[in-house]
Amino acid sequence: MHSRISFILVFSCFLVLIFFVSCSFFEKPEVPGDLTAVYNEEGDYVELHWEDATGVSQYEVYRGDNDDPETFELIADPDEAWYDDFDYNYFERYYAVKAENKFGTSDFSEVVEANVPDHDKYEPNNDLASALLVTPVDDEPNDMHMSIMPAGDIDCIKFYAYTNHGYNIFISAAQCSVTNIQMTMYDENGNLVETGIPEGDSAVQIFEWQPDQAGYYILKIQAANTADIGYYMLYIIPWV
Ligand SMILES: [Ca+2]
């Protein structure tokens, strides 16, 4: 009788143990830890890393403009515990991640703020004389993260244009927080060559431009209202 009770006790303990082990096995993943968000100036993107966890099928990366992750937008769902955000911008520099498996999704990790600089990496380029020289690659977007900051900031970008090339130059409306952004283009002697106009999905653009003369040209970008600040993405797409 005594040994039978012992057996039942041991067996019950065993069942309870199996129950707890299987519960943790079939659970949603734990909250990802050690999230870091570091701006990579050379590559112009934000590098996100966090602690890898077993039993995770994928992660969810969120970005927002404040430290409340409930307001964040899902931007990526990588399989591994890192993500490079090339679409970062100056006002959405807060990040959080979640882990996911087939049993569910974890809560948000802690929110971290990326050390994205306020001034774009092309500064100082406030006038035609100090325009920064870039070399756009044919048929590539050649996109540049830029900002009008502080108020009154002017951005000048210089590039070499060939007569056997066409150029689409634009600031996409979806990636611009500057109201009434303006773009003008000058030749190397400071003569006005083109004025950008908004059309389609662009905040402002110089569409299918072909230079009469090969040489250096300078784009000048500013806010119509000099009190405005914001970010934008400039594209220069050369084609043959
Ligand atoms: Ca700037």
Side-chain angles (χ1 to χ4, degrees):
M1 193 63 188
H2 199 182
S3 70
R4 194 168 164 184
I5 291 172
S6 306
F7 174 76
I8 289 171
L9 267 174
V10 168
F11 189 67
S12 311
C13 287
F14 179 69
L15 287 180
V16 167
L17 186 71
I18 290 288
F19 176 75
F20 280 110
V21 166
S22 51
C23 276
S24 59
F25 190 73
F26 295 110
E27 259 176 13
K28 63 183 188 180
E30 295 199 345
V31 173
D34 289 339
L35 173 63
T36 56
V38 178
Y39 176 63
N40 180 313
E41 181 171 327
E42 201 188 331
D44 197 21
Y45 61 89
V46 173
E47 281 183 27
L48 299 160
H49 290 275
W50 56 92
E51 216 169 75
D52 203 1
T54 48
V56 174
S57 53
Q58 63 177 21
Y59 296 95
E60 294 179 350
V61 181
Y62 292 81
R63 187 182 64 207
D65 62 3
N66 63 70
D67 58 6
D68 175 11
E70 297 300 334
T71 66
F72 285 12
E73 184 193 353
L74 176 67
I75 57 163
D77 48 9
D79 297 339
E80 292 177 83
W82 62 274
Y83 181 68
D84 292 340
D85 184 13
F86 285 89
D87 268 336
Y88 80 88
N89 70 58
Y90 298 92
F91 296 95
E92 292 178 10
R93 55 176 72 189
Y94 296 89
Y95 294 88
V97 291
K98 286 180 176 182
E100 207 182 294
N101 65 18
K102 60 182 169 182
F103 305 108
T105 306
S106 75
D107 291 331
F108 281 110
S109 68
E110 87 174 301
V111 172
V112 298
E113 183 180 358
N115 59 332
V116 173
D118 281 340
H119 303 290
D120 58 59
K121 67 173 195 171
Y122 307 97
E123 297 284 354
N125 59 344
N126 290 342
D127 52 38
L128 299 187
S130 60
L132 188 108
L133 179 65
V134 298
T135 309
V137 179
D138 286 358
D139 301 314
E140 292 290 334
N142 301 296
D143 48 324
M144 289 166 256
H145 285 93
M146 305 186 71
S147 66
I148 298 292
M149 212 178 311
D153 183 27
I154 295 172
D155 292 338
C156 294
I157 296 288
K158 186 176 181 175
F159 67 103
Y160 194 88
Y162 302 88
T163 46
N164 64 345
H165 276 60
Y167 295 83
N168 287 336
I169 302 161
F170 61 94
I171 290 165
S172 93
Q175 295 163 302
C176 176
S177 71
V178 184
T179 316
N180 293 326
I181 196 160
Q182 295 180 334
M183 177 162 66
T184 42
M185 186 164 66
Y186 299 84
D187 66 17
E188 225 185 344
N189 299 318
N191 301 308
L192 180 67
V193 176
E194 290 283 334
T195 300
I197 51 161
E199 199 184 298
D201 294 332
S202 80
V204 60
Q205 67 169 342
I206 295 171
F207 187 62
E208 294 191 348
W209 172 70
Q210 285 185 280
D212 295 330
Q213 227 181 328
Y216 288 104
Y217 290 84
I218 300 161
L219 297 165
K220 183 180 179 188
I221 295 145
Q222 58 198 325
N225 179 345
T226 53
D228 281 349
I229 58 166
Y231 65 86
Y232 64 93
M233 193 98 103
L234 172 67
Y235 292 78
I236 302 177
I237 308 179
W239 37 271
V240 182

